[in-house]
Amino acid sequence: MELLEFGLTTTYFMFGGQLYQQKLGTAMGSPVSPIVANLYMEDLEQTAINTASEHIKPRFWKRYVDDILAVVTKGSTRILNDHLNSIDMSGNIQFTSEEMENNSIPFLDTKIVSREDGTIKTVVYRKKTHTNQYLNFQSHHPLTHKLGVVCTLA
């Protein structure tokens, strides 16, 4: 535990020739960061769901890292969003929400479309800001990460 705490609280980085110490959160690119972030988010979401009143409790809830897809009663999105934002006492986690538009909603790299017969279909979705750039091959990432991007896209 001491080693984990040391690794999480002594993060330094260089920007514009200046050395900085990260004061909040885990270091991007650190192997332990996704694990710690996932554990924190899991605890946060369990607390949020367990303390939500019945009329705003999601009927469906799926999360990938910090993106959540939830099915809620019509008209309760804002109330649920406010409830989620009240759980993190540090005030550092800020949830935002989107509602279905034209019977569809984006989630990760997909668009979920609700059909008239009650079924759903998914299609590939790219945000307007998508640049088709994934990982610069000249970056200092390990070669396995660079090759992983290519394999995933293929």
Side-chain angles (χ1 to χ4, degrees), residues 8 18 25 28-29 47 49 52-53 55 59 64 80 88 92 105 108 117 126 129-130 135 138 140 147 152-153:
L8 292 173
Q18 184 79 20
M28 294 211 35
T47 301
I49 292 169
S53 59
H55 74 283
R59 294 187 312 243
Y64 180 77
L80 176 61
D88 176 43
N92 294 310
I105 190 161
L108 303 174
D117 66 0
R126 297 287 183 246
T129 56
H130 185 71
L135 184 60
Q138 302 304 315
H140 294 289
L147 294 174
T152 299
L153 289 171

Side-chain angles (χ1 to χ4, degrees), residues 1-129:
M1 288 307 292
E2 287 179 37
L3 183 58
L4 178 61
E5 183 178 358
F6 177 78
L8 292 173
T9 59
T10 56
T11 304
Y12 298 90
F13 61 95
M14 181 88 64
F15 179 74
Q18 184 79 20
L19 185 64
Y20 295 90
Q21 179 180 12
Q22 184 172 333
K23 299 283 186 183
L24 180 66
T26 61
M28 294 211 35
S30 167
V32 75
S33 293
I35 297 165
V36 171
N38 199 39
L39 289 171
Y40 183 83
M41 286 300 295
E42 188 172 320
D43 181 64
L44 183 74
E45 74 185 358
Q46 286 304 311
T47 301
I49 292 169
N50 290 338
T51 59
S53 59
E54 285 304 315
H55 74 283
I56 65 167
K57 205 171 270 202
R59 294 187 312 243
F60 178 85
W61 178 282
K62 291 294 177 188
R63 178 180 55 83
Y64 180 77
V65 187
D66 62 347
D67 291 318
I68 299 167
L69 177 65
V71 175
V72 297
T73 305
K74 191 171 186 145
S76 65
T77 305
R78 186 188 54 74
I79 301 165
L80 176 61
N81 197 75
D82 290 345
H83 173 68
L84 292 170
N85 284 325
S86 73
I87 300 300
D88 176 43
M89 292 300 140
S90 71
N92 294 310
I93 304 284
Q94 197 65 39
F95 289 89
T96 59
S97 62
E98 293 179 48
E99 294 193 35
M100 280 190 121
E101 206 171 279
N102 298 323
N103 291 331
S104 66
I105 190 161
F107 181 62
L108 303 174
D109 288 334
T110 64
K111 181 180 274 193
I112 301 168
V113 181
S114 177
R115 296 179 173 154
E116 286 186 27
D117 66 0
T119 62
I120 60 169
K121 75 172 185 173
T122 57
V123 294
V124 174
Y125 174 76
R126 297 287 183 246
K127 294 179 180 178
K128 292 176 185 173
T129 56

